[in-house]
Amino acid sequence: MKYVRLIHDGQIRYGLFDGDGIDLIDTTPFDSFETTGVRVGFDEAHLLAPTAFSKAVCIGLNYRDHALELELPIPESPVVFIKPSTSILAPRSSIIKPPMCSRLDYEAELCVVIKKRAHNVALDETGPYILGYSCANDVTARDLQPKHGQWTVAKGFDTFCPYGPFISDEVDPSNLAIESRVNGEIRQASNTSNLIFSIPYLVSYLSTVMTLLPGDIILTGTPGGIGPMDRGDTVEVTIEGLGTLTNPIA
Ligand code: MG
């Protein structure tokens, strides 16, 4: 299934995307649901980020190629930080570059969407807790990152967590091409097979630290090739089988 969330007739609704259009469902992807017979065009739809989240849990350094680029050792345990729920941004909506930021970076990331409350989940039992996968952009005020000692400010501004356009449970997340482009020019190109910490490990490990709630997302880290973008640019994150997340910068 591919799930989307959208505004339809002034209401927040969920739907199933079949690669062409969207069939609205009567409840949410977290419940049992049925299609309603109402169909909406994908390009015309007022898409929202596919879930609202209580937190976006992010992994700081999780691609071998990115660790090499930064000349950092391969970490022995995941570097974890959180983007607040208010950083969420819909596909096609504008990332706002804050006045205090002089260098704004993209970070293309595969994200894992949590399906049900996850607490102390064993490594081999994570499957039922995962609704699916999506594209995310871990937007970063790079110049502010070293200034603050920790990353909450640099990563936590409003609009710094674009996510979407849909969630799919039809992909194998351990082998997906991942790419970012700025104004159509490729900036990052890698594969999730380069992940240092696997998705089952991250879901299990994080669930022993904090309870993961339905709709929460885990951003699994970015590959090599990070770099800047600026007002007037358009940034895209494309992941094999997960479509393209497009956002202009304002
Ligand atoms: Mg990141």
Side-chain angles (χ1 to χ4, degrees), residues 199-216:
I199 284 161
Y201 176 84
L202 291 174
V203 172
S204 174
Y205 171 74
L206 292 171
S207 80
T208 66
V209 177
M210 65 192 85
T211 301
L212 302 170
L213 298 177
D216 281 356

Side-chain angles (χ1 to χ4, degrees), residues 59 81 107 109 138 155 221-222:
I59 307 305
F81 64 96
E107 292 189 1
E109 308 205 5
D138 175 15
K155 304 267 194 180
T222 200

Side-chain angles (χ1 to χ4, degrees), residues 31-110:
D31 305 296
S32 59
F33 59 78
E34 297 198 27
T35 53
T36 61
V38 179
R39 193 165 166 86
V40 182
F42 184 77
D43 292 339
E44 302 80 59
H46 180 172
L47 292 181
L48 300 173
T51 62
F53 52 75
S54 76
K55 53 193 171 295
V57 190
C58 308
I59 307 305
L61 191 63
N62 199 24
Y63 277 79
R64 287 179 194 86
D65 50 348
H66 186 42
L68 286 171
E69 165 183 71
L70 298 175
E71 297 182 348
L72 291 170
I74 302 293
E76 288 177 13
S77 63
V79 176
V80 178
F81 64 96
I82 285 181
K83 284 161 118 58
S85 59
T86 43
S87 65
I88 196 167
L89 185 69
R92 307 166 186 164
S93 293
S94 293
I95 298 164
I96 306 298
K97 183 182 179 186
M100 73 173 77
C101 167
S102 60
R103 177 172 158 166
L104 187 72
D105 275 17
Y106 53 82
E107 292 189 1
E109 308 205 5
L110 172 72

Side-chain angles (χ1 to χ4, degrees), residues 72-154:
L72 291 170
I74 302 293
E76 288 177 13
S77 63
V79 176
V80 178
F81 64 96
I82 285 181
K83 284 161 118 58
S85 59
T86 43
S87 65
I88 196 167
L89 185 69
R92 307 166 186 164
S93 293
S94 293
I95 298 164
I96 306 298
K97 183 182 179 186
M100 73 173 77
C101 167
S102 60
R103 177 172 158 166
L104 187 72
D105 275 17
Y106 53 82
E107 292 189 1
E109 308 205 5
L110 172 72
C111 78
V112 183
V113 185
I114 297 298
K115 183 174 187 177
K116 60 180 186 175
R117 192 176 186 277
H119 175 68
N120 282 342
V121 178
L123 186 59
D124 59 354
E125 291 174 358
T126 59
Y129 295 87
I130 296 171
L131 181 64
Y133 305 91
S134 191
C135 306
N137 191 338
D138 175 15
V139 178
T140 301
R142 191 69 71 200
D143 58 315
L144 301 182
Q145 197 173 10
K147 280 187 190 166
H148 286 260
Q150 43 70 39
W151 300 353
T152 305
V153 168

